[in-house]
């Protein structure tokens, strides 16, 4: 039996960089999740009888919303739902399953790297049939709908047994609970040379993978330990927990500090990696060397041909605008294009679909390729392993050699979190007012080449996205970029991205913050960060 439940709109259901993200108690309000899911369905057309993929990163409230989404999919006329066992499905695996099973789309429940638990974060994201996040046209339609919604449809049915693999029915709609790992693993076996990696693990090579009590635990254990023969214990924190063990499942140098310390220690393994809450991000650390996500993108692109899936070479690279320009130099050498898109994976979808780009990445630790339409943490780890297995050199050598060949892009991001929204907006307005001025005292000795508010014209669907970040580009190739986060759930997060190019191998060593100290000063003065936010230092430095 389908029920039509009357409801009233919430005014705050505007999807951000990556779907709707809010604190769990916000989602727990009566009808909150239902309203948003119905708004998604109302914004779509032509899904009657088709397949919907549903899964999430296992965080607190995942199971409840999965049950709601299944019953609402049935009442709205979907023909079939594919749901990951236990309600689990990593974001890249969801993308693959949507593509492989030709689903109409998917609902991914996650707040990515944000903390979970009863007071933590939750999120709902809609992905389209290419397996990628819904483009802005759709997310805007969802938001418009959420402001006018008056009813939602839900099947009056008992809960689905999520832990048992098998098929059942809800009001005439088929529900298939499937193993969330197997399809994904098969795809990885196609892309990478598992024998090369297996041989490496059979020798002295050792790695540590920190799953951060999040979704990649089951995937990493199955692939690294069982299929590739890495010794048991290679994967740590491998059991997904609703509150991620009380930690931020954010693979950066703050939240994965234990891994970093291990990799810098005397007994460091050869290779260390971590992934985030929903499995799309990655952290890559070699013995004695942290590889920034921007460098990792450049290095993966330069060496991708060593993996069978990319043996014929890559068609193009795409990076988000704030991501360092290291990848551009690789593209230049390979004589392919490097596309510069706004922040957020959704902008890569069209480039990948059109075959213009093969490998994409963001400075925020997301890398991926045309195998799915999301960034993919384990994919990056496996590509690195494949490269290490083929080159038989240490990470340190590979990275230093790359810098000698291409130059080094010193790069850092400073985040000021939970700043008062009004103050953050005023700071951005202030910066906007400085655009075009070339003689600001804050520039110090730097000579401005160009400043603008980044706008992107999509070469595939011809859409335009404006207001994507304030940029100050200097004549020596350095850049300072400011934008407000679109994924935070409390106050505003100001992100400041700072980059300087160093071609001279003699000056490529040393600490990043020191190498960028001048520019960091310029960035703070230019935005008047201290006076405007009261913050003497960033909350997070990556
Ligand atoms: C952040 C990252 C961005 C990434 C997004 C989703 O968005 O900066 O690169 O695509 O998370 O993982 P932001 O909070 O900056 O809007
Ligand atoms: Zn994520």
């Amino acid at each position: 039996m389908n029920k039509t439940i009357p409801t009233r709109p919430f005014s705050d259901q505007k999807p951000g960089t990556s779907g709707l993200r809010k604190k769990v108690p916000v989602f727990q309000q009566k009808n909150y999740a239902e309203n948003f899911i119905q708004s998604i369905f109302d914004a779509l057309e032509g899904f009657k009888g088709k397949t919907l993929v549903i899964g999430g990163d296992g965080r607190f409230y995942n199971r409840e919303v999965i049950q709601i989404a299944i019953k609402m999919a049935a009442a709205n006329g979907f023909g079939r739902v594919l749901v990951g066992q236990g309600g689990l499905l990593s974001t890249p695996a969801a993308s693959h399953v949507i593509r492989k099973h030709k689903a109409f789309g998917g609902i991914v429940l996650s707040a990515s790297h944000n903390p979970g638990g009863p007071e933590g974060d939750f999120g709902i994201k809609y992905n389209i049939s290419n397996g990628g996040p819904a483009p802005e046209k759709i997310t805007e339609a969802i938001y418009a709908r959420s402001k006018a919604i008056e009813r939602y449809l839900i099947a009056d049915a008992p809960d689905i047994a999520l832990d048992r693999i098998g098929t059942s029915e809800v009001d005439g709609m088929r529900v298939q609970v499937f193993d969330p790992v197997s399809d994904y693993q098969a795809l990885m076996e196609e892309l990478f040379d598992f024998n090369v990696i297996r041989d490496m693990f059979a020798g002295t090579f050792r790695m540590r993978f920190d799953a951060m009590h999040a979704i990649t635990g089951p995937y990493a254990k199955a692939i690294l330990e069982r299929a590739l023969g890495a010794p048991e214990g290679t994967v740590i924190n491998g059991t997904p927990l609703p509150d991620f063990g009380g930690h931020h499942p954010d693979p950066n140098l703050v939240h994965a500090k234990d891994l970093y310390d291990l990799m810098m220690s005397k007994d460091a393994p050869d290779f260390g990696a971590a992934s985030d809450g929903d499995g799309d991000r990655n952290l890559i650390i070699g013995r004695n060397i942290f590889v920034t996500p921007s460098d990792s993108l450049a290095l993966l692109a330069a060496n991708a041909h060593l993996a069978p899936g990319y043996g014929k070479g890559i068609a193009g690279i795409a990076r988000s605008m704030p991501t360092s320009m290291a990848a551009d130099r690789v593209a230049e050498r390979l004589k392919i294009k490097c596309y510069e898109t706004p922040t957020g994976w959704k902008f890569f979808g069209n480039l990948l679909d059109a075959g213009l780009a093969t490998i994409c990445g963001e400075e925020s630790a997301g890398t991926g390729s045309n195998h799915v339409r999301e960034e993919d943490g384990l994919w990056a780890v496996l590509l690195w392993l494949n490269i290490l297995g083929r080159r038989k050199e240490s990470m340190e050598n590979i990275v230093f050699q790359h810098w000698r060949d291409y130059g080094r892009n010193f790069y850092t991001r400073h985040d000021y979190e939970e700043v008062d929204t009004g103050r953050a907006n005023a700071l951005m307005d202030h910066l906007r007012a400085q655009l075009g001025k070339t003689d600001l005292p804050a520039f110090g000795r730097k000579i401005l080449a160009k400043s603008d508010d980044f706008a992107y014209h999509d070469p595939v669907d011809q859409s335009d996205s404006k207001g994507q970040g304030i940029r100050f580009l200097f004549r020596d190739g350095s850049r300072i970029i400011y934008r407000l986060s679109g994924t935070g759930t409390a106050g505003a997060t100001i992100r400041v991205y700072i980059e300087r190019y160093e071609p001279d191998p003699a000056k490529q060593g040393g600490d990043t913050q020191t190498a960028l100290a001048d520019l960091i000063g310029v960035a703070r003065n230019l935005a008047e960060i201290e006076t405007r936010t009261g913050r003497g230092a960033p909350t997070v430095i990556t």
Side-chain angles (χ1 to χ4, degrees):
M1 256 276 289
N2 285 344
K3 285 197 300 191
T4 302
I5 312 282
T7 186
R8 276 211 294 261
F10 291 89
S11 59
D12 63 345
Q13 297 197 324
K14 185 175 168 58
T17 314
S18 223
L20 183 67
R21 295 226 182 125
K22 299 283 173 197
K23 295 273 173 213
V24 166
V26 175
F27 269 104
Q28 285 172 325
Q29 296 172 85
K30 191 169 172 345
N31 294 344
Y32 194 88
E34 288 87 344
N35 270 23
F36 189 69
I37 294 169
Q38 187 65 50
S39 301
I40 295 175
F41 294 155
D42 286 349
L44 305 173
E45 264 171 43
F47 56 76
K48 289 268 179 297
K50 304 252 167 84
T51 299
L52 182 71
V53 173
I54 301 179
D57 63 10
R59 67 179 57 229
F60 188 86
Y61 212 44
N62 192 50
R63 284 175 167 263
E64 287 82 351
V65 178
I66 287 199
Q67 296 290 355
I68 293 170
I70 294 173
K71 292 174 197 172
M72 289 184 65
N76 277 274
F78 277 94
R80 179 170 73 140
V81 156
L82 299 177
V83 57
Q85 185 180 19
L88 298 180
L89 200 51
S90 79
T91 292
S95 184
H96 177 53
V97 170
I98 293 170
R99 296 163 65 78
K100 176 165 180 183
H101 299 278
K102 307 211 160 24
F104 185 85
I107 289 184
V108 184
L109 306 178
S110 166
S112 193
H113 49 284
N114 294 3
E119 302 302 321
D121 291 347
F122 192 77
I124 304 181
K125 183 166 88 159
Y126 180 69
N127 281 27
I128 58 175
S129 62
N130 76 351
E136 278 186 342
K137 209 177 84 195
I138 295 182
T139 56
E140 274 158 23
I142 295 171
Y143 179 44
R145 187 64 205 141
S146 76
K147 288 187 288 190
I149 191 165
E150 288 172 338
R151 58 93 189 96
Y152 65 86
L153 309 179
I154 188 160
D156 190 9
D159 280 359
I160 289 289
L162 287 177
D163 295 309
R164 217 179 36 242
I165 289 183
T167 305
S168 56
E169 259 196 24
V170 173
D171 253 3
M173 180 189 79
R174 212 147 41 104
V175 180
Q176 273 173 259
V177 178
F178 67 96
D179 169 19
V181 176
S182 55
D183 280 343
Y184 178 83
Q185 180 172 339
L187 177 63
M188 295 301 118
E189 286 172 13
E190 273 170 41
L191 294 175
F192 302 116
D193 191 336
F194 272 38
N195 287 328
V196 160
I197 307 176
R198 235 178 250 130
D199 284 351
M200 203 165 54
F201 280 124
T204 57
F205 184 85
R206 289 294 168 265
M207 85 172 275
R208 173 75 56 93
F209 181 88
D210 189 348
M212 305 189 94
H213 289 301
I215 191 70
T216 47
Y219 293 84
K221 279 192 200 154
I223 297 174
L224 297 174
E225 294 185 0
R226 290 199 286 278
L228 292 168
E232 215 173 294
T234 296
V235 177
I236 57 164
N237 301 323
T239 308
L241 298 175
D243 66 349
F244 307 115
H247 301 293
H248 270 250
D250 191 351
N252 62 26
L253 298 185
V254 177
H255 299 298
K257 185 157 187 312
D258 289 354
L259 179 69
Y260 179 80
D261 290 345
L262 171 74
M263 295 309 298
M264 297 303 136
S265 73
K266 220 168 69 269
D267 310 315
D270 303 273
F271 182 64
S275 189
D276 73 330
D278 61 333
D280 54 357
R281 293 188 175 191
N282 67 81
L283 172 71
I284 301 290
I285 314 178
R287 185 193 295 132
N288 285 326
I289 187 159
F290 162 65
V291 186
T292 67
S294 294
D295 274 349
S296 181
L297 171 66
L299 278 144
L300 291 178
N303 292 283
H305 60 276
L306 299 174
Y310 308 92
K312 294 202 186 79
I314 55 177
I317 307 174
R319 61 164 176 86
S320 66
M321 181 273 286
T323 302
S324 100
M325 297 171 82
D328 301 43
R329 296 178 185 277
V330 174
E332 207 176 11
R333 185 91 48 103
L334 293 173
K335 300 197 169 42
I336 54 177
K337 256 191 108 158
C338 186
Y339 296 86
E340 188 175 42
T341 62
T343 297
W345 200 260
K346 60 189 170 197
F347 293 98
F348 295 138
N350 283 343
L351 300 172
L352 293 167
D353 283 349
L356 295 175
T358 306
I359 290 193
C360 308
E362 294 196 89
E363 54 66 41
S364 53
T367 353
S369 87
N370 59 353
H371 68 292
V372 288
R373 294 295 180 272
E374 291 276 5
E375 40 192 37
D376 188 344
L378 261 179
W379 169 90
V381 171
L382 291 167
L383 180 48
W384 261 111
L385 288 172
N386 197 148
I387 293 167
L388 288 166
R390 285 290 302 278
R391 286 189 54 169
K392 303 193 188 333
E393 291 169 68
S394 71
M395 291 282 289
E396 215 176 5
N397 275 351
I398 292 177
V399 174
F400 284 161
Q401 186 58 48
H402 186 91
W403 290 340
R404 277 194 295 274
D405 281 358
Y406 293 89
R408 176 176 183 184
N409 291 69
F410 279 105
Y411 185 85
T412 189
R413 186 180 93 193
H414 288 194
D415 289 341
Y416 297 83
E417 293 176 338
E418 298 194 24
V419 174
D420 171 76
T421 308
R423 284 179 175 222
N425 285 329
L427 180 145
M428 293 301 284
D429 288 343
H430 159 73
L431 285 169
R432 225 166 269 122
Q434 311 309 311
L435 293 177
K437 296 184 188 165
T438 51
D439 55 351
L440 296 173
F443 291 153
R445 284 191 311 257
K446 293 273 168 194
I447 302 171
L448 189 79
K450 177 181 171 179
S451 57
D452 67 0
D453 193 348
F454 181 66
Y456 177 63
H457 180 77
D458 185 312
V460 180
D461 69 12
Q462 312 300 328
S463 63
D464 288 293
S465 304
K466 300 205 169 76
Q468 298 292 332
I470 307 278
R471 308 193 290 176
F472 294 89
L473 314 177
F474 298 96
R475 216 179 270 168
D476 61 359
S478 18
R479 308 192 300 166
I480 299 173
I481 293 148
Y482 304 85
R483 54 180 287 282
L484 296 184
S485 156
T487 57
T489 53
T493 295
I494 303 169
R495 301 205 196 282
V496 188
Y497 310 82
I498 297 148
E499 172 179 5
R500 179 169 75 77
Y501 180 63
E502 182 52 74
D504 182 356
K507 298 184 188 151
Q508 286 169 352
D511 169 60
T512 301
Q513 299 303 315
T514 315
L516 291 172
D518 280 1
L519 264 183
I520 292 170
V522 173
R524 287 182 59 83
N525 292 338
L526 192 55
E528 301 173 355
I529 290 182
E530 186 144 11
T531 42
R532 289 179 175 275
T533 66
R535 302 288 177 85
T539 330
V540 178
I541 295 180
T542 53

